[in-house]
Amino acid sequence: MPPIMYMVEDENGLFQLVLASSPDWQTQQLTQETAVLLNYAPSPSGTQIAYATSLPDGSSQLKLLSLSGTAKTVFTCDNAECSQPVWHPDGRRLLYERREPPNFSKPQLWWLDSETGESVLLLQDSDAVGSNARFSPDGSWVAYASSPDVGLQLY
């Protein structure tokens, strides 16, 4: 049976990533975050985890964690919430949602190259809304939720 990854609250009230493996389901804490852990996504190969944290100054970070326990910050979003990473099937690129003040309710989808840290807007229209991205199995399409008036989109 494959291991199970989940978030658990630590003694400081912060969520950490934990891995539980069969047969005895002993847990191994993977992160030691002092920031608020928002969400995470295991890579298609299962060798690393992308996760998002929120910092007290209003910024956020996207990090990569190897299963050996080494975490590195790949991208920092100054004065914005960047979260909900979703891996492309190639295992190198991710899409994430970026929300900026004053209207945090208007998410936009951005690409992130996990090796170079380069980040670019997915849609050319800088006013386009996008969230809840999911890739087709071959990675040639991405589905996402747009504005309520537009609904589900394929790109």
Side-chain angles (χ1 to χ4, degrees):
M1 186 170 248
I4 297 172
M5 185 179 310
Y6 58 98
M7 294 169 48
V8 66
E9 194 171 352
D10 67 13
E11 63 277 355
N12 298 317
L14 294 170
F15 283 103
Q16 304 295 338
L17 284 177
V18 173
L19 189 68
S21 303
S22 67
D24 57 3
W25 298 103
Q26 290 295 314
T27 60
Q28 171 191 0
Q29 186 171 325
L30 299 175
T31 57
Q32 301 289 330
E33 281 299 326
T34 56
V36 175
L37 197 150
L38 299 171
N39 35 57
Y40 66 95
S43 68
S45 66
T47 59
Q48 58 185 345
I49 300 108
Y51 68 96
T53 60
S54 177
L55 304 172
D57 69 358
S59 299
S60 58
Q61 294 181 323
L62 294 170
K63 297 183 177 187
L64 290 181
L65 175 70
S66 69
L67 289 185
S68 67
T70 306
K72 71 175 183 173
T73 301
V74 181
F75 193 74
T76 299
C77 295
D78 293 322
N79 196 33
E81 181 185 285
C82 293
S83 63
Q84 302 295 340
V86 178
W87 286 96
H88 185 274
D90 69 8
R92 177 176 174 162
R93 297 175 293 159
L94 300 118
L95 280 177
Y96 66 91
E97 294 176 20
R98 183 180 180 107
R99 297 171 188 265
E100 296 185 7
N103 189 3
F104 283 97
S105 64
K106 183 185 166 194
Q108 293 185 304
L109 293 172
W110 287 72
W111 280 110
L112 175 64
D113 184 312
S114 68
E115 293 178 13
T116 66
E118 180 183 356
S119 182
V120 295
L121 192 60
L122 172 69
L123 303 172
Q124 299 304 315
D125 180 359
S126 62
D127 290 328
V129 174
S131 64
N132 298 301
R134 297 297 180 267
F135 285 101
S136 63
D138 67 358
S140 61
W141 290 91
V142 63
Y144 64 92
S146 188
S147 66
D149 296 337
V150 176
L152 186 64
Q153 295 286 299
L154 294 174
Y155 179 78

